Amino acid sequence: MQRALKIFPWIIKPPVRDGRLLIAKIVEWSNIARKQGLLGLEMMIEREPDDFVQKALQLVVDGNEPDNISSVMYVDLNMREHADTTAAKVFEGMGIYSPTLGIIGAVLGLMAVLQNLADPSKLGHGIAAAFTATVYASVLQTSFFCPSPQKLKVIIARQTQFREMVVDGMLCIAQGENPRASKPSYKATA
């Protein structure tokens, strides 16, 4: 549930992941690593706002083998993707159960009507509450709770693609390759 609350703002304002900027950074880091060695990247770790990128850079700076970097980063990537996907399912559940809340509100409104059958002036409030609860639940379901999980899944897929680019770039740097020379299988506009 905590993760669902954390990714809730993504529905309104998704995190910006600029693949082109990432590629430019990786090329810059590759040049620094070639000129100054892997330790030259140490100051880049603190400048990087993304904790996933920081972790990948730290593994490279520490001189880990490419296989080790790959396995550590892909475990992290898969854990993040799983946690985010599970959190998106919370909104899916809200979409499934929101009509039930509307029915509960309608029943409570009708109970108020039945309690006031002797006083017709009070019937309108109960009937209005019953209809209002049903309408609000339907509107929330169709306009927010049903589309939100789909939107989050697209955002999570983009996040995963971005992180895969990070891992691939770090592996190129760790192996001493030039990232500009490799041809990625993903779009740079992630």
Side-chain angles (χ1 to χ4, degrees), residues 99-117:
T100 304
L101 293 175
I103 291 170
I104 291 171
V107 168
L108 292 174
L110 292 176
M111 287 172 56
V113 168
L114 293 174
Q115 288 176 347
N116 295 312
L117 281 176

Side-chain angles (χ1 to χ4, degrees), residues 4-167:
L5 293 175
K6 190 171 182 178
I7 69 171
F8 175 76
W10 294 1
I11 297 168
I12 298 152
K13 187 177 184 226
V16 177
R17 297 292 187 187
D18 187 351
R20 289 187 175 108
L21 178 62
L22 175 64
I23 290 170
K25 283 181 178 181
I26 290 171
V27 169
E28 176 189 351
W29 296 336
S30 176
N31 290 332
I32 291 170
R34 287 175 187 211
K35 292 176 185 173
Q36 302 173 16
L38 295 177
L39 289 176
L41 295 173
E42 198 163 25
M43 64 182 172
M44 297 297 155
I45 296 169
E46 296 169 8
R47 293 182 189 170
E48 187 56 44
D50 187 292
D51 64 329
F52 186 84
V53 178
Q54 284 180 345
K55 183 176 183 177
L57 271 170
Q58 187 66 57
L59 287 169
V60 170
V61 168
D62 289 345
N64 286 284
E65 291 296 318
D67 288 343
N68 186 39
I69 294 169
S70 178
S71 52
V72 167
M73 293 312 297
Y74 274 108
V75 166
D76 190 338
L77 183 146
N78 291 330
M79 287 176 52
R80 289 172 189 244
E81 183 179 28
H82 178 73
D84 291 344
T85 302
T86 303
K89 289 181 181 179
V90 169
F91 296 99
E92 210 169 90
M94 289 177 173
I96 292 169
Y97 293 112
S98 61
T100 304
L101 293 175
I103 291 170
I104 291 171
V107 168
L108 292 174
L110 292 176
M111 287 172 56
V113 168
L114 293 174
Q115 288 176 347
N116 295 312
L117 281 176
D119 186 4
S121 66
K122 296 182 180 178
L123 295 180
H125 296 292
I127 293 171
F131 283 125
T132 303
T134 305
V135 168
Y136 279 156
S138 296
V139 167
L140 277 173
Q141 179 192 27
T142 57
S143 66
F144 184 74
F145 290 130
C146 284
S148 293
Q150 299 308 319
K151 183 175 183 178
L152 286 171
K153 287 176 186 176
V154 169
I155 293 167
I156 292 165
R158 287 184 185 151
Q159 296 266 63
T160 299
Q161 184 182 36
F162 180 86
R163 290 177 180 138
E164 287 172 344
M165 289 171 60
V166 169
V167 174

